[in-house]
Amino acid sequence: KKIVKLPEKRLYEMGFKKGEKLFYINRVYKGNQKPIIMLENFLPLSILKDFDQRFVGTEPLNAYLEKEYQIKAKLSHRVTKAVNLSQEHAEILGERKHAASIQSTNKVYDQFNRLIDYGQSHTTSNYYFQALISHDELAHYYLETQPKEQKDID
């Protein structure tokens, strides 16, 4: 967690106003003690006064904003795509540089249509594959696609 001041071009690309100071949060979620997804959030300090001093970091972000600032997340615009991990993201996730990843970028707007959160997540290269196919599904596929003679030999 830290306050960041990004270049004007980056602020514009993210949707924030010129000169905006942002609070940056980076969280890594693990499964079986291994990183599976990294979440990065940028929050505008012009809207969230003293956020950098008040937010502990363990509470769910949207619930915290509603409770402490009476700000409700009303609209979310998400774009998901396949990417290759940067060196920085790869190191955080324990991956090799350029490993395949699912990236999700999310802009969250409040009840006053202000951008209150720019978030981006990256997964480990095998995260989605583990969730998509099980051992039983693989065995069933193998048995259904092999010629009868091959199945009898195995």
Side-chain angles (χ1 to χ4, degrees), residues 5-45:
K5 188 164 170 73
L6 300 177
E8 301 299 324
K9 182 179 179 188
R10 181 72 175 126
L11 287 171
Y12 176 78
E13 291 168 349
M14 294 168 81
F16 290 110
K17 64 184 179 187
K18 182 177 179 180
E20 182 73 69
K21 284 187 182 176
L22 304 172
F23 188 69
Y24 172 75
I25 304 167
N26 183 335
R27 299 180 188 190
V28 176
Y29 292 89
K30 296 179 178 183
N32 295 327
Q33 306 303 316
K34 294 180 181 178
I36 56 172
I37 192 166
M38 176 182 72
L39 303 177
E40 297 177 284
N41 297 87
F42 295 86
L43 302 118
L45 291 174

mmCIF file of all heavy atoms in Angstrom, residues 5-45:
data_model
loop_
_atom_site.group_PDB
_atom_site.id
_atom_site.type_symbol
_atom_site.label_atom_id
_atom_site.label_comp_id
_atom_site.label_asym_id
_atom_site.label_seq_id
_atom_site.Cartn_x
_atom_site.Cartn_y
_atom_site.Cartn_z
ATOM 1 N N LYS A 5 2.020 8.853 -7.573
ATOM 2 C CA LYS A 5 1.731 9.934 -8.513
ATOM 3 C C LYS A 5 2.201 9.447 -9.869
ATOM 4 O O LYS A 5 3.403 9.292 -10.092
ATOM 5 C CB LYS A 5 2.446 11.217 -8.093
ATOM 6 C CG LYS A 5 2.034 12.415 -8.911
ATOM 7 C CD LYS A 5 2.454 13.709 -8.228
ATOM 8 C CE LYS A 5 2.281 14.904 -9.116
ATOM 9 N NZ LYS A 5 0.977 15.359 -9.352
ATOM 10 N N LEU A 6 1.264 9.168 -10.741
ATOM 11 C CA LEU A 6 1.575 8.590 -12.048
ATOM 12 C C LEU A 6 1.712 9.676 -13.109
ATOM 13 O O LEU A 6 1.165 10.772 -12.961
ATOM 14 C CB LEU A 6 0.470 7.612 -12.446
ATOM 15 C CG LEU A 6 0.249 6.426 -11.503
ATOM 16 C CD1 LEU A 6 -0.927 5.589 -11.974
ATOM 17 C CD2 LEU A 6 1.496 5.578 -11.393
ATOM 18 N N PRO A 7 2.408 9.369 -14.203
ATOM 19 C CA PRO A 7 2.510 10.319 -15.318
ATOM 20 C C PRO A 7 1.110 10.664 -15.861
ATOM 21 O O PRO A 7 0.190 9.836 -15.813
ATOM 22 C CB PRO A 7 3.325 9.557 -16.372
ATOM 23 C CG PRO A 7 4.023 8.459 -15.624
ATOM 24 C CD PRO A 7 3.150 8.128 -14.459
ATOM 25 N N GLU A 8 0.976 11.877 -16.375
ATOM 26 C CA GLU A 8 -0.318 12.354 -16.886
ATOM 27 C C GLU A 8 -0.912 11.398 -17.925
ATOM 28 O O GLU A 8 -2.111 11.144 -17.931
ATOM 29 C CB GLU A 8 -0.162 13.753 -17.500
ATOM 30 C CG GLU A 8 0.347 14.808 -16.547
ATOM 31 C CD GLU A 8 -0.571 15.050 -15.348
ATOM 32 O OE1 GLU A 8 -1.806 14.985 -15.503
ATOM 33 O OE2 GLU A 8 -0.039 15.298 -14.252
ATOM 34 N N LYS A 9 -0.069 10.871 -18.799
ATOM 35 C CA LYS A 9 -0.558 9.953 -19.840
ATOM 36 C C LYS A 9 -1.186 8.711 -19.223
ATOM 37 O O LYS A 9 -2.249 8.260 -19.651
ATOM 38 C CB LYS A 9 0.596 9.566 -20.779
ATOM 39 C CG LYS A 9 0.164 8.660 -21.904
ATOM 40 C CD LYS A 9 1.312 8.302 -22.830
ATOM 41 C CE LYS A 9 0.820 7.373 -23.924
ATOM 42 N NZ LYS A 9 1.890 6.839 -24.725
ATOM 43 N N ARG A 10 -0.546 8.170 -18.207
ATOM 44 C CA ARG A 10 -1.076 6.971 -17.537
ATOM 45 C C ARG A 10 -2.387 7.282 -16.824
ATOM 46 O O ARG A 10 -3.331 6.497 -16.880
ATOM 47 C CB ARG A 10 -0.031 6.418 -16.558
ATOM 48 C CG ARG A 10 -0.471 5.174 -15.837
ATOM 49 C CD ARG A 10 -0.504 3.973 -16.763
ATOM 50 N NE ARG A 10 -0.811 2.787 -15.995
ATOM 51 C CZ ARG A 10 -1.805 1.948 -16.275
ATOM 52 N NH1 ARG A 10 -2.552 2.140 -17.333
ATOM 53 N NH2 ARG A 10 -2.033 0.908 -15.525
ATOM 54 N N LEU A 11 -2.456 8.429 -16.149
ATOM 55 C CA LEU A 11 -3.700 8.836 -15.489
ATOM 56 C C LEU A 11 -4.838 8.934 -16.506
ATOM 57 O O LEU A 11 -5.952 8.465 -16.258
ATOM 58 C CB LEU A 11 -3.524 10.181 -14.777
ATOM 59 C CG LEU A 11 -2.699 10.182 -13.503
ATOM 60 C CD1 LEU A 11 -2.435 11.610 -13.048
ATOM 61 C CD2 LEU A 11 -3.396 9.390 -12.400
ATOM 62 N N TYR A 12 -4.556 9.533 -17.646
ATOM 63 C CA TYR A 12 -5.550 9.683 -18.700
ATOM 64 C C TYR A 12 -6.023 8.317 -19.205
ATOM 65 O O TYR A 12 -7.219 8.081 -19.373
ATOM 66 C CB TYR A 12 -4.969 10.518 -19.855
ATOM 67 C CG TYR A 12 -5.896 10.635 -21.031
ATOM 68 C CD1 TYR A 12 -6.969 11.523 -21.001
ATOM 69 C CD2 TYR A 12 -5.702 9.854 -22.173
ATOM 70 C CE1 TYR A 12 -7.840 11.624 -22.087
ATOM 71 C CE2 TYR A 12 -6.561 9.947 -23.256
ATOM 72 C CZ TYR A 12 -7.628 10.829 -23.207
ATOM 73 O OH TYR A 12 -8.492 10.913 -24.270
ATOM 74 N N GLU A 13 -5.074 7.414 -19.436
ATOM 75 C CA GLU A 13 -5.404 6.064 -19.914
ATOM 76 C C GLU A 13 -6.296 5.330 -18.915
ATOM 77 O O GLU A 13 -7.178 4.567 -19.299
ATOM 78 C CB GLU A 13 -4.128 5.248 -20.156
ATOM 79 C CG GLU A 13 -3.294 5.721 -21.321
ATOM 80 C CD GLU A 13 -1.908 5.086 -21.356
ATOM 81 O OE1 GLU A 13 -1.505 4.423 -20.369
ATOM 82 O OE2 GLU A 13 -1.215 5.277 -22.366
ATOM 83 N N MET A 14 -6.057 5.558 -17.632
ATOM 84 C CA MET A 14 -6.828 4.887 -16.588
ATOM 85 C C MET A 14 -8.200 5.535 -16.398
ATOM 86 O O MET A 14 -9.119 4.884 -15.919
ATOM 87 C CB MET A 14 -6.054 4.916 -15.265
ATOM 88 C CG MET A 14 -4.768 4.104 -15.308
ATOM 89 S SD MET A 14 -3.697 4.413 -13.895
ATOM 90 C CE MET A 14 -4.441 3.377 -12.662
ATOM 91 N N GLY A 15 -8.324 6.819 -16.759
ATOM 92 C CA GLY A 15 -9.594 7.515 -16.608
ATOM 93 C C GLY A 15 -9.629 8.512 -15.466
ATOM 94 O O GLY A 15 -10.687 9.056 -15.150
ATOM 95 N N PHE A 16 -8.475 8.761 -14.853
ATOM 96 C CA PHE A 16 -8.407 9.718 -13.752
ATOM 97 C C PHE A 16 -8.073 11.106 -14.267
ATOM 98 O O PHE A 16 -7.511 11.266 -15.346
ATOM 99 C CB PHE A 16 -7.365 9.283 -12.716
ATOM 100 C CG PHE A 16 -7.774 8.069 -11.930
ATOM 101 C CD1 PHE A 16 -7.132 6.858 -12.126
ATOM 102 C CD2 PHE A 16 -8.801 8.132 -11.001
ATOM 103 C CE1 PHE A 16 -7.500 5.736 -11.406
ATOM 104 C CE2 PHE A 16 -9.189 7.018 -10.276
ATOM 105 C CZ PHE A 16 -8.527 5.812 -10.478
ATOM 106 N N LYS A 17 -8.377 12.122 -13.446
ATOM 107 C CA LYS A 17 -8.108 13.502 -13.851
ATOM 108 C C LYS A 17 -6.625 13.847 -13.686
ATOM 109 O O LYS A 17 -5.894 13.198 -12.921
ATOM 110 C CB LYS A 17 -8.998 14.472 -13.071
ATOM 111 C CG LYS A 17 -8.753 14.507 -11.601
ATOM 112 C CD LYS A 17 -9.761 15.419 -10.911
ATOM 113 C CE LYS A 17 -9.495 15.419 -9.413
ATOM 114 N NZ LYS A 17 -10.489 16.125 -8.686
ATOM 115 N N LYS A 18 -6.218 14.864 -14.398
ATOM 116 C CA LYS A 18 -4.839 15.343 -14.399
ATOM 117 C C LYS A 18 -4.392 15.681 -12.969
ATOM 118 O O LYS A 18 -5.116 16.319 -12.217
ATOM 119 C CB LYS A 18 -4.752 16.586 -15.284
ATOM 120 C CG LYS A 18 -3.385 17.165 -15.430
ATOM 121 C CD LYS A 18 -3.416 18.343 -16.370
ATOM 122 C CE LYS A 18 -2.036 18.952 -16.496
ATOM 123 N NZ LYS A 18 -2.043 20.097 -17.410
ATOM 124 N N GLY A 19 -3.198 15.201 -12.601
ATOM 125 C CA GLY A 19 -2.622 15.511 -11.299
ATOM 126 C C GLY A 19 -3.162 14.701 -10.136
ATOM 127 O O GLY A 19 -2.771 14.932 -8.990
ATOM 128 N N GLU A 20 -4.041 13.759 -10.410
ATOM 129 C CA GLU A 20 -4.667 12.962 -9.331
ATOM 130 C C GLU A 20 -3.626 12.140 -8.577
ATOM 131 O O GLU A 20 -2.806 11.458 -9.189
ATOM 132 C CB GLU A 20 -5.720 12.023 -9.917
ATOM 133 C CG GLU A 20 -6.452 11.186 -8.902
ATOM 134 C CD GLU A 20 -7.452 11.987 -8.076
ATOM 135 O OE1 GLU A 20 -8.461 12.415 -8.651
ATOM 136 O OE2 GLU A 20 -7.207 12.171 -6.864
ATOM 137 N N LYS A 21 -3.665 12.220 -7.255
ATOM 138 C CA LYS A 21 -2.850 11.338 -6.421
ATOM 139 C C LYS A 21 -3.686 10.104 -6.136
ATOM 140 O O LYS A 21 -4.871 10.198 -5.811
ATOM 141 C CB LYS A 21 -2.471 12.020 -5.105
ATOM 142 C CG LYS A 21 -1.385 13.045 -5.248
ATOM 143 C CD LYS A 21 -0.961 13.547 -3.894
ATOM 144 C CE LYS A 21 0.094 14.610 -4.036
ATOM 145 N NZ LYS A 21 0.460 15.188 -2.733
ATOM 146 N N LEU A 22 -3.056 8.948 -6.259
ATOM 147 C CA LEU A 22 -3.766 7.683 -6.098
ATOM 148 C C LEU A 22 -3.183 6.873 -4.946
ATOM 149 O O LEU A 22 -1.986 6.956 -4.666
ATOM 150 C CB LEU A 22 -3.681 6.857 -7.388
ATOM 151 C CG LEU A 22 -4.189 7.533 -8.654
ATOM 152 C CD1 LEU A 22 -3.855 6.689 -9.870
ATOM 153 C CD2 LEU A 22 -5.687 7.778 -8.572
ATOM 154 N N PHE A 23 -4.044 6.089 -4.347
ATOM 155 C CA PHE A 23 -3.596 5.134 -3.344
ATOM 156 C C PHE A 23 -3.535 3.779 -4.040
ATOM 157 O O PHE A 23 -4.514 3.334 -4.638
ATOM 158 C CB PHE A 23 -4.555 5.085 -2.159
ATOM 159 C CG PHE A 23 -4.033 4.265 -1.011
ATOM 160 C CD1 PHE A 23 -2.946 4.704 -0.271
ATOM 161 C CD2 PHE A 23 -4.613 3.069 -0.666
ATOM 162 C CE1 PHE A 23 -2.451 3.960 0.788
ATOM 163 C CE2 PHE A 23 -4.130 2.314 0.382
ATOM 164 C CZ PHE A 23 -3.046 2.762 1.118
ATOM 165 N N TYR A 24 -2.380 3.142 -3.971
ATOM 166 C CA TYR A 24 -2.134 1.876 -4.662
ATOM 167 C C TYR A 24 -2.147 0.725 -3.661
ATOM 168 O O TYR A 24 -1.494 0.792 -2.627
ATOM 169 C CB TYR A 24 -0.776 1.938 -5.363
ATOM 170 C CG TYR A 24 -0.304 0.629 -5.950
ATOM 171 C CD1 TYR A 24 -0.859 0.135 -7.120
ATOM 172 C CD2 TYR A 24 0.708 -0.103 -5.338
ATOM 173 C CE1 TYR A 24 -0.410 -1.057 -7.670
ATOM 174 C CE2 TYR A 24 1.161 -1.294 -5.879
ATOM 175 C CZ TYR A 24 0.591 -1.764 -7.038
ATOM 176 O OH TYR A 24 1.029 -2.935 -7.572
ATOM 177 N N ILE A 25 -2.910 -0.309 -3.997
ATOM 178 C CA ILE A 25 -2.988 -1.522 -3.180
ATOM 179 C C ILE A 25 -2.634 -2.704 -4.078
ATOM 180 O O ILE A 25 -3.140 -2.816 -5.191
ATOM 181 C CB ILE A 25 -4.409 -1.748 -2.615
ATOM 182 C CG1 ILE A 25 -4.886 -0.549 -1.814
ATOM 183 C CG2 ILE A 25 -4.459 -3.011 -1.766
ATOM 184 C CD1 ILE A 25 -6.366 -0.578 -1.507
ATOM 185 N N ASN A 26 -1.785 -3.591 -3.580
ATOM 186 C CA ASN A 26 -1.422 -4.799 -4.311
ATOM 187 C C ASN A 26 -1.659 -5.979 -3.377
ATOM 188 O O ASN A 26 -1.048 -6.062 -2.320
ATOM 189 C CB ASN A 26 0.047 -4.731 -4.733
ATOM 190 C CG ASN A 26 0.467 -5.922 -5.555
ATOM 191 O OD1 ASN A 26 -0.106 -7.000 -5.476
ATOM 192 N ND2 ASN A 26 1.489 -5.734 -6.348
ATOM 193 N N ARG A 27 -2.553 -6.872 -3.778
ATOM 194 C CA ARG A 27 -2.853 -8.061 -2.980
ATOM 195 C C ARG A 27 -2.581 -9.312 -3.819
ATOM 196 O O ARG A 27 -2.884 -9.344 -5.004
ATOM 197 C CB ARG A 27 -4.318 -8.081 -2.549
ATOM 198 C CG ARG A 27 -4.726 -6.911 -1.694
ATOM 199 C CD ARG A 27 -6.192 -7.031 -1.332
ATOM 200 N NE ARG A 27 -6.660 -5.830 -0.667
ATOM 201 C CZ ARG A 27 -7.821 -5.740 -0.074
ATOM 202 N NH1 ARG A 27 -8.658 -6.757 -0.068
ATOM 203 N NH2 ARG A 27 -8.189 -4.627 0.511
ATOM 204 N N VAL A 28 -2.028 -10.329 -3.183
ATOM 205 C CA VAL A 28 -1.788 -11.609 -3.847
ATOM 206 C C VAL A 28 -2.578 -12.669 -3.088
ATOM 207 O O VAL A 28 -2.441 -12.811 -1.877
ATOM 208 C CB VAL A 28 -0.284 -11.975 -3.858
ATOM 209 C CG1 VAL A 28 -0.074 -13.358 -4.463
ATOM 210 C CG2 VAL A 28 0.510 -10.928 -4.629
ATOM 211 N N TYR A 29 -3.446 -13.363 -3.808
ATOM 212 C CA TYR A 29 -4.241 -14.434 -3.212
ATOM 213 C C TYR A 29 -3.588 -15.767 -3.546
ATOM 214 O O TYR A 29 -3.121 -15.978 -4.666
ATOM 215 C CB TYR A 29 -5.681 -14.389 -3.730
ATOM 216 C CG TYR A 29 -6.407 -13.172 -3.230
ATOM 217 C CD1 TYR A 29 -6.365 -11.965 -3.936
ATOM 218 C CD2 TYR A 29 -7.121 -13.204 -2.034
ATOM 219 C CE1 TYR A 29 -7.013 -10.840 -3.466
ATOM 220 C CE2 TYR A 29 -7.776 -12.081 -1.568
ATOM 221 C CZ TYR A 29 -7.715 -10.907 -2.282
ATOM 222 O OH TYR A 29 -8.361 -9.792 -1.812
ATOM 223 N N LYS A 30 -3.565 -16.652 -2.545
ATOM 224 C CA LYS A 30 -2.885 -17.937 -2.701
ATOM 225 C C LYS A 30 -3.851 -19.098 -2.522
ATOM 226 O O LYS A 30 -4.853 -18.985 -1.837
ATOM 227 C CB LYS A 30 -1.759 -18.052 -1.667
ATOM 228 C CG LYS A 30 -0.668 -17.027 -1.842
ATOM 229 C CD LYS A 30 0.412 -17.166 -0.797
ATOM 230 C CE LYS A 30 1.516 -16.152 -1.049
ATOM 231 N NZ LYS A 30 2.615 -16.317 -0.103
ATOM 232 N N GLY A 31 -3.475 -20.216 -3.119
ATOM 233 C CA GLY A 31 -4.148 -21.492 -2.940
ATOM 234 C C GLY A 31 -3.070 -22.524 -2.691
ATOM 235 O O GLY A 31 -2.066 -22.549 -3.412
ATOM 236 N N ASN A 32 -3.224 -23.323 -1.663
ATOM 237 C CA ASN A 32 -2.181 -24.290 -1.287
ATOM 238 C C ASN A 32 -0.817 -23.610 -1.137
ATOM 239 O O ASN A 32 0.199 -24.129 -1.587
ATOM 240 C CB ASN A 32 -2.096 -25.439 -2.292
ATOM 241 C CG ASN A 32 -3.350 -26.265 -2.309
ATOM 242 O OD1 ASN A 32 -4.009 -26.426 -1.278
ATOM 243 N ND2 ASN A 32 -3.708 -26.772 -3.470
ATOM 244 N N GLN A 33 -0.831 -22.424 -0.560
ATOM 245 C CA GLN A 33 0.383 -21.642 -0.286
ATOM 246 C C GLN A 33 1.101 -21.144 -1.538
ATOM 247 O O GLN A 33 2.230 -20.676 -1.458
ATOM 248 C CB GLN A 33 1.357 -22.437 0.598
ATOM 249 C CG GLN A 33 0.762 -22.952 1.886
ATOM 250 C CD GLN A 33 0.169 -21.828 2.744
ATOM 251 O OE1 GLN A 33 0.777 -20.799 2.899
ATOM 252 N NE2 GLN A 33 -1.007 -22.052 3.275
ATOM 253 N N LYS A 34 0.457 -21.233 -2.706
ATOM 254 C CA LYS A 34 1.064 -20.761 -3.951
ATOM 255 C C LYS A 34 0.222 -19.619 -4.520
ATOM 256 O O LYS A 34 -1.004 -19.691 -4.506
ATOM 257 C CB LYS A 34 1.145 -21.891 -4.982
ATOM 258 C CG LYS A 34 2.082 -23.007 -4.574
ATOM 259 C CD LYS A 34 2.112 -24.092 -5.622
ATOM 260 C CE LYS A 34 3.031 -25.221 -5.177
ATOM 261 N NZ LYS A 34 3.059 -26.308 -6.138
ATOM 262 N N PRO A 35 0.870 -18.571 -5.041
ATOM 263 C CA PRO A 35 0.111 -17.468 -5.642
ATOM 264 C C PRO A 35 -0.738 -17.965 -6.811
ATOM 265 O O PRO A 35 -0.277 -18.783 -7.607
ATOM 266 C CB PRO A 35 1.194 -16.514 -6.154
ATOM 267 C CG PRO A 35 2.432 -16.890 -5.432
ATOM 268 C CD PRO A 35 2.314 -18.351 -5.114
ATOM 269 N N ILE A 36 -1.987 -17.478 -6.886
ATOM 270 C CA ILE A 36 -2.832 -17.817 -8.026
ATOM 271 C C ILE A 36 -3.359 -16.575 -8.743
ATOM 272 O O ILE A 36 -3.623 -16.621 -9.928
ATOM 273 C CB ILE A 36 -4.013 -18.744 -7.645
ATOM 274 C CG1 ILE A 36 -4.867 -18.132 -6.548
ATOM 275 C CG2 ILE A 36 -3.526 -20.124 -7.257
ATOM 276 C CD1 ILE A 36 -6.146 -18.907 -6.257
ATOM 277 N N ILE A 37 -3.485 -15.472 -7.999
ATOM 278 C CA ILE A 37 -3.976 -14.244 -8.631
ATOM 279 C C ILE A 37 -3.458 -13.031 -7.870
ATOM 280 O O ILE A 37 -3.327 -13.058 -6.652
ATOM 281 C CB ILE A 37 -5.518 -14.243 -8.721
ATOM 282 C CG1 ILE A 37 -6.016 -13.120 -9.625
ATOM 283 C CG2 ILE A 37 -6.149 -14.183 -7.350
ATOM 284 C CD1 ILE A 37 -7.480 -13.272 -10.030
ATOM 285 N N MET A 38 -3.140 -12.004 -8.618
ATOM 286 C CA MET A 38 -2.669 -10.745 -8.051
ATOM 287 C C MET A 38 -3.662 -9.654 -8.430
ATOM 288 O O MET A 38 -4.049 -9.539 -9.595
ATOM 289 C CB MET A 38 -1.292 -10.393 -8.616
ATOM 290 C CG MET A 38 -0.777 -9.065 -8.145
ATOM 291 S SD MET A 38 0.815 -8.646 -8.880
ATOM 292 C CE MET A 38 0.312 -8.275 -10.537
ATOM 293 N N LEU A 39 -4.092 -8.874 -7.435
ATOM 294 C CA LEU A 39 -5.011 -7.766 -7.668
ATOM 295 C C LEU A 39 -4.312 -6.454 -7.346
ATOM 296 O O LEU A 39 -3.705 -6.313 -6.283
ATOM 297 C CB LEU A 39 -6.250 -7.886 -6.771
ATOM 298 C CG LEU A 39 -7.064 -9.166 -6.881
ATOM 299 C CD1 LEU A 39 -8.195 -9.150 -5.870
ATOM 300 C CD2 LEU A 39 -7.619 -9.324 -8.273
ATOM 301 N N GLU A 40 -4.407 -5.506 -8.263
ATOM 302 C CA GLU A 40 -3.873 -4.172 -8.048
ATOM 303 C C GLU A 40 -5.027 -3.183 -8.152
ATOM 304 O O GLU A 40 -5.836 -3.277 -9.074
ATOM 305 C CB GLU A 40 -2.838 -3.819 -9.105
ATOM 306 C CG GLU A 40 -1.618 -4.709 -9.089
ATOM 307 C CD GLU A 40 -0.658 -4.355 -10.197
ATOM 308 O OE1 GLU A 40 -0.956 -4.726 -11.350
ATOM 309 O OE2 GLU A 40 0.350 -3.706 -9.907
ATOM 310 N N ASN A 41 -5.108 -2.252 -7.198
ATOM 311 C CA ASN A 41 -6.156 -1.241 -7.214
ATOM 312 C C ASN A 41 -5.529 0.137 -7.068
ATOM 313 O O ASN A 41 -4.587 0.324 -6.307
ATOM 314 C CB ASN A 41 -7.155 -1.456 -6.073
ATOM 315 C CG ASN A 41 -7.890 -2.755 -6.200
ATOM 316 O OD1 ASN A 41 -7.413 -3.778 -5.738
ATOM 317 N ND2 ASN A 41 -9.041 -2.727 -6.835
ATOM 318 N N PHE A 42 -6.090 1.089 -7.805
ATOM 319 C CA PHE A 42 -5.703 2.494 -7.713
ATOM 320 C C PHE A 42 -6.956 3.272 -7.336
ATOM 321 O O PHE A 42 -7.955 3.220 -8.056
ATOM 322 C CB PHE A 42 -5.152 2.998 -9.052
ATOM 323 C CG PHE A 42 -3.872 2.337 -9.468
ATOM 324 C CD1 PHE A 42 -3.887 1.134 -10.169
ATOM 325 C CD2 PHE A 42 -2.643 2.918 -9.169
ATOM 326 C CE1 PHE A 42 -2.707 0.527 -10.566
ATOM 327 C CE2 PHE A 42 -1.453 2.307 -9.568
ATOM 328 C CZ PHE A 42 -1.487 1.113 -10.259
ATOM 329 N N LEU A 43 -6.893 3.999 -6.217
ATOM 330 C CA LEU A 43 -8.053 4.735 -5.708
ATOM 331 C C LEU A 43 -7.715 6.216 -5.576
ATOM 332 O O LEU A 43 -6.646 6.558 -5.064
ATOM 333 C CB LEU A 43 -8.473 4.165 -4.358
ATOM 334 C CG LEU A 43 -8.800 2.674 -4.443
ATOM 335 C CD1 LEU A 43 -7.870 1.884 -3.569
ATOM 336 C CD2 LEU A 43 -10.225 2.425 -4.083
ATOM 337 N N PRO A 44 -8.627 7.115 -6.008
ATOM 338 C CA PRO A 44 -8.339 8.551 -5.991
ATOM 339 C C PRO A 44 -8.449 9.153 -4.592
ATOM 340 O O PRO A 44 -9.496 9.085 -3.947
ATOM 341 C CB PRO A 44 -9.417 9.119 -6.919
ATOM 342 C CG PRO A 44 -10.561 8.167 -6.779
ATOM 343 C CD PRO A 44 -9.939 6.809 -6.567
ATOM 344 N N LEU A 45 -7.382 9.774 -4.143
ATOM 345 C CA LEU A 45 -7.378 10.385 -2.814
ATOM 346 C C LEU A 45 -8.172 11.693 -2.773
ATOM 347 O O LEU A 45 -8.533 12.154 -1.695
ATOM 348 C CB LEU A 45 -5.948 10.594 -2.332
ATOM 349 C CG LEU A 45 -5.200 9.293 -2.017
ATOM 350 C CD1 LEU A 45 -3.739 9.570 -1.684
ATOM 351 C CD2 LEU A 45 -5.875 8.535 -0.884
#
